[in-house]
Amino acid sequence: MAVAASQLFKWVLLVAASASLLARADLRYDFYNTSCPGVEKLVRDELALKFAADVTLPAGLLRLHFHDCFVRGCDASIMLKSHNGTAEQDADPNSTVRGYEAIEDIKAKVEAACPLVVSCADIIAMAARDAVNFSQGPLYQVETGRRDGNVSLKEEALQFLPPSDGNVTVLTEYFAVQNLTMKDMVVLSGAHTLGIAHCPSFSKRLYNYTGAGDQDPSLDAAYAKNLATVCTPENVASVQPLDPMSPKTFDQGYYQSVYNHQALLVSDAALLNDSLTGAYVQLMNNASSLDTFFADFAVAMINMGRAGVRTGTDGEIRATCAIYVD
Ligand code: HEM
Ligand SMILES: *[C@@H]1O[C@H](CO)[C@@H](O)[C@H](O)[C@H]1NC(C)=O
Ligand SMILES: *[C@@H]1O[C@H](CO)[C@@H](O)[C@H](O)[C@H]1NC(C)=O
Ligand SMILES: *[C@@H]1O[C@H](CO)[C@@H](O)[C@H](O)[C@H]1NC(C)=O
Ligand SMILES: *[C@@H]1O[C@H](CO)[C@@H](O)[C@H](O)[C@H]1NC(C)=O
Ligand SMILES: *[C@@H]1O[C@H](CO)[C@@H](O)[C@H](O)[C@H]1NC(C)=O
Ligand SMILES: *[C@@H]1O[C@H](CO)[C@@H](O)[C@H](O)[C@H]1NC(C)=O
Ligand SMILES: *[C@@H]1O[C@H](CO)[C@@H](O)[C@H](O)[C@H]1NC(C)=O
Ligand SMILES: *[C@@H]1O[C@H](CO)[C@@H](O)[C@H](O)[C@H]1NC(C)=O
Ligand SMILES: *[C@@H]1O[C@H](CO)[C@@H](O)[C@H](O)[C@H]1NC(C)=O
Ligand SMILES: CC(=O)N[C@H]1CO[C@H](CO)[C@@H](O)[C@@H]1O
């Protein structure tokens, strides 16, 4: 009797384990192989045209995926609109997110090929992957099978997107909420090898770091002087590359910039202050090959792409990514 009960218990555990495996397997490689064959190539080909027309778009789309995943999971809720200004898009950190129109255009092409099959969340994940590769970064296989949400709240964007002046402790906490590790954090920060930031995202470091009209002492002096000539109080709309070494190429230039105290954001410079993240920065600064960063980045992007996903019958597949939620 006791034996039977323990056998039954083992069996129940096994079923529970395989059930959770099945649930996880809802997100998988080639999810659309039979339901929308060729969708990944379709997305990639459309993006190739858009990237050729706008070399700054890859950075925008990479960031869009991050901002989508960190708020209510990777469910395309960042695409939703609000008439009264209460959606994720209306939150301050999203004010400079770019690429909404590109995603909507591609969704329209995908709808023409396979109506109501492919989620916007998956298109965003594919676009981020392609953005990295088109910028000479690694090519990784993206997991698909996400479904879209239809709730989008400004407060949640403010709550879950990490602050640009956060230290490593704070940043690590924001990533932990998404089941991402400190390693994921220092690796994904490497996305700042692409793109730009607007003056208000870093001006505090130049003019009022501790609130006493001072400059961040950890900024390289020549770099800070150069920034201050462009990011003046009269010119707050100006932008600066996040990786001054090579802003349009996906490489380890970001880590070299951080290492040399020429990182733009407090959150970038902060990576040097912690022994674990600092060691990674130093490793990448010295790396003679991009292989380790590329492999790490692919893993971390796949991890990020799993955050809070809806799969199976949860969520929906809409005809357009943007709809008004109020
Ligand atoms: C570690 C926490 C992070 C913080 C605090 C942060 C913060 C920021 C800020 C403040 C900007 C500049 C916005 C502006 O002024 O226009 C920015 C840009 C950017 N971020 Fe992050 N970010 C973080 C992580 C990430 C991650 C995980 C990714 C993607 C995997 C990412 C991708 C980008 C890209 C590509 C840009 C450039 C966008 C463009 O050129 O339009 N960031 N980030
Ligand atoms: C999906 O299709 C591609 C290309 O035809 C093939 O290489 C891949 O093995 C397929 N994957 C699955 C899971 O069927
Ligand atoms: C994309 O990834 C592949 C495979 O890693 C690589 O050979 C190629 O150079 C990358 N870049 C572009 C622009 O395709
Ligand atoms: C990080 O920032 C938080 C919030 O500002 C602060 O409480 C904490 O002491 C800081 N940690 C370090 C190591 O500086
Ligand atoms: C990192 O350390 C430098 C130098 O000690 C300091 O100026 C800076 O404020 C620190 N950054 C953060 C985010 O704590
Ligand atoms: C600098 O920061 C302090 C404290 O946040 C603030 O009171 C002061 O007005 C700021 N100065 C400027 C010039 O923005
Ligand atoms: C990186 O290179 C510098 C200078 O060549 C050297 O001093 C340092 O020890 C190296 N660090 C690592 C982690 O290899
Ligand atoms: C983190 O993992 C836990 C346990 O698997 C899961 O319940 C939770 O939904 C995950 N959170 C996110 C944001 O993915
Ligand atoms: C939101 O999505 C759920 C499915 O997740 C669906 O039942 C509901 O009707 C949708 N609501 C709106 C307003 O589209
Ligand atoms: C936004 O609009 C919706 C529907 O139009 C309404 O229910 C909601 O209360 C409004 N929210 C605010 C903050 O005005
Ligand atoms: C694209 C978009 O809707 N951006 C909004 C982000 O939030 C700011 C306010 O914080 C709005 O001004 C932008 O229009």
Side-chain angles (χ1 to χ4, degrees):
M1 202 50 196
V3 172
S6 89
Q7 287 298 105
L8 179 66
F9 182 63
K10 270 188 193 159
W11 186 79
V12 167
L13 273 185
L14 257 175
V15 170
S18 45
S20 84
L21 275 178
L22 279 178
R24 287 194 47 165
D26 284 341
L27 207 62
R28 61 174 192 262
Y29 297 120
D30 302 315
F31 182 84
Y32 298 110
N33 248 25
T34 51
S35 59
C36 189
V39 64
E40 299 215 17
K41 185 175 183 314
L42 174 60
V43 170
R44 191 179 172 87
D45 290 348
E46 287 301 318
L47 280 170
L49 298 173
K50 292 186 181 299
F51 290 158
D54 177 1
V55 292
T56 72
L57 184 61
L61 293 179
L62 179 54
R63 185 168 182 232
L64 184 87
H65 182 45
F66 159 52
H67 281 218
D68 182 30
C69 293
F70 268 55
V71 187
R72 271 188 182 263
C74 317
D75 70 341
S77 54
I78 192 172
M79 298 294 296
L80 298 169
K81 290 183 177 297
S82 156
H83 282 115
N84 53 21
T86 55
E88 289 171 31
Q89 289 189 2
D90 302 308
D92 200 42
N94 282 337
S95 64
T96 53
V97 168
R98 301 180 294 123
Y100 297 107
E101 307 77 11
I103 295 296
E104 200 65 81
D105 283 356
I106 292 167
K107 169 70 170 172
K109 293 277 184 339
V110 170
E111 281 302 298
C114 317
L116 299 180
V117 169
V118 182
S119 68
C120 295
D122 279 343
I123 292 174
I124 293 171
M126 291 176 208
R129 181 265 312 269
D130 295 337
V132 169
N133 191 231
F134 274 94
S135 310
Q136 277 85 58
L139 180 64
Y140 55 89
Q141 229 191 325
V142 77
E143 292 180 328
T144 43
R146 296 170 191 80
R147 289 165 64 90
D148 296 335
N150 57 18
V151 175
S152 182
L153 300 167
K154 175 180 176 169
E155 308 90 82
E156 290 186 342
L158 296 173
Q159 183 184 348
F160 291 109
L161 292 170
S164 63
D165 62 354
N167 59 33
V168 170
T169 312
V170 167
L171 297 173
T172 303
E173 281 166 6
Y174 277 79
F175 277 67
V177 169
Q178 310 297 336
N179 292 338
L180 296 170
T181 64
M182 204 172 190
K183 165 118 189 228
D184 290 323
M185 192 268 286
V186 64
V187 170
L188 289 169
S189 293
H192 290 171
T193 182
L194 294 181
I196 47 97
H198 292 75
C199 190
S201 297
F202 57 88
S203 57
K204 194 177 99 171
R205 299 185 77 193
L206 302 176
Y207 302 115
N208 206 6
Y209 187 54
T210 66
D214 54 339
Q215 197 165 78
D216 181 348
S218 72
L219 266 175
D220 170 73
Y223 176 62
K225 198 174 163 202
N226 190 35
L227 291 179
T229 62
V230 183
C231 174
T232 58
E234 298 76 39
N235 194 13
V236 291
S238 63
V239 299
Q240 286 290 320
L242 285 159
D243 166 16
M245 300 201 52
S246 49
K248 294 192 177 91
T249 310
F250 195 97
D251 58 14
Q252 92 273 45
Y254 166 79
Y255 294 105
Q256 294 169 335
S257 300
V258 173
Y259 185 80
N260 294 321
H261 299 278
Q262 299 184 351
L264 199 50
L265 306 178
V266 168
S267 65
D268 298 322
L271 298 176
L272 274 183
N273 291 12
D274 171 87
S275 59
L276 280 175
T277 56
Y280 193 83
V281 170
Q282 211 180 93
L283 192 69
M284 290 305 126
N285 174 60
N286 279 24
S288 57
S289 133
L290 288 164
D291 293 355
T292 303
F293 174 45
F294 280 10
D296 288 345
F297 194 78
V299 168
M301 284 294 281
I302 290 166
N303 290 343
M304 186 173 85
R306 290 176 180 165
V309 290
R310 293 162 177 273
T311 55
T313 54
D314 189 11
E316 59 185 23
I317 309 291
R318 290 189 294 273
T320 62
C321 299
I323 54 169
Y324 279 92
V325 290
D326 67 39

